[in-house]
Amino acid sequence: VREVVDRSGLILRTGDHRYVFAHRSIQEHLVAEQLRQYTPDGADRLLARATDPAWRQVVLFHVGTDRHGQEAVDAFLGRLAGANLALAGLCLAGAKPTDRVAGKILAALASRVRADDDVPVHLAGLLAATRSPRTVVRELATTLVREVLGEVIHRPDVFGLLGGDLDGVVRVLTALPVQPWIQDAAQRFNQGNNKQDGQPVEIQVITRDGLTA
């Protein structure tokens, strides 16, 4: 143990005979891998903690591995969507479910955004899906984000709707490739004369090497 602590940098000593992983993500990955081996009990244990923020990354690691069959991914995400829809959306950034299951999750997320139901949280799920490894899911997520943003961007309360701070708005605009409608969304936001801490806030969309800044 001493050699691992002294040379690997993976484990830190916190006291007499007490050790912790240097990065929490190492522990979370190992937990996800251990639970994966206990089928279906491992999935049940994760789903029981679906609303616990401390277990979010474990869930993402669990469903993002290629070691699951698509049927298992579909079953897990279908149940997860019932317990924590936003987290199911975040999982789409790495998971590879069927188009049918991914489509149901994305449609449900868009519906929540349109209903003003915790918009920043559910919009984050949609945005995450725009980074899906599957082309069909990416394209559907991008279309839905475009639609829901087009519906809310003109609202006077859009600043608060997207998280209440500049970072929330920037995350929305930087999550997608630059397209004319993104420029239009930024222009509409700027027309709202939004402020943060009493200072005017303006969004500029700049293309750099295919990315949005």
Side-chain angles (χ1 to χ4, degrees):
V1 174
R2 179 176 298 175
E3 184 175 351
V4 174
V5 172
D6 293 341
R7 298 188 179 185
S8 72
L10 297 176
I11 299 176
L12 302 176
R13 183 184 291 108
T14 60
D16 292 339
H17 307 295
R18 298 187 65 183
Y19 303 89
V20 297
F21 287 106
H23 300 283
R24 183 178 176 86
S25 60
I26 299 174
Q27 175 180 320
E28 292 167 333
H29 174 77
L30 293 175
V31 170
E33 179 61 21
Q34 186 69 20
L35 289 174
R36 182 190 66 80
Q37 298 178 33
Y38 292 98
T39 305
D41 186 55
D44 291 339
R45 293 186 182 188
L46 274 181
L47 289 166
R49 297 165 174 80
T51 58
D52 186 343
W55 284 80
R56 182 179 110 166
Q57 191 60 50
V58 179
V59 172
L60 294 174
F61 279 136
H62 175 81
V63 76
T65 179
D66 287 332
R67 294 180 179 140
H68 290 299
Q70 196 169 58
E71 184 177 347
V73 172
D74 278 359
F76 183 83
L77 285 180
R79 295 173 62 192
L80 178 61
N84 189 334
L85 179 60
L87 181 54
L90 293 177
C91 286
L92 293 179
K96 298 178 181 179
T98 59
D99 297 344
R100 177 182 60 83
V101 170
K104 285 184 176 181
I105 292 172
L106 292 174
L109 286 166
S111 179
R112 293 285 184 90
V113 173
R114 290 180 170 118
D116 282 0
D117 182 0
D118 208 350
V119 172
V121 171
H122 292 111
L123 184 57
L126 277 177
L127 291 169
T130 65
R131 302 190 300 274
S132 169
R134 303 194 62 250
T135 302
V136 172
V137 177
R138 286 199 309 272
E139 291 178 347
L140 177 58
T142 300
T143 297
L144 289 173
V145 169
R146 177 179 180 176
E147 290 177 357
V148 298
L149 281 182
E151 294 169 12
V152 304
I153 201 68
H154 64 282
R155 290 174 43 168
D157 61 341
V158 65
F159 195 51
L161 202 63
L162 297 180
D165 59 15
L166 179 59
D167 290 341
V169 179
V170 171
R171 278 194 297 272
V172 172
L173 295 178
T174 59
L176 300 169
V178 177
Q179 297 180 19
W181 71 269
I182 294 181
Q183 298 279 5
D184 181 60
Q187 183 178 6
R188 291 188 188 182
F189 176 85
N190 292 337
Q191 290 172 349
N193 297 317
N194 295 286
K195 295 183 179 181
Q196 182 175 21
D197 299 328
Q199 299 298 316
V201 175
E202 181 175 295
I203 297 294
Q204 292 183 338
V205 181
I206 306 170
T207 304
R208 292 182 178 175
D209 298 327
L211 301 176
T212 308

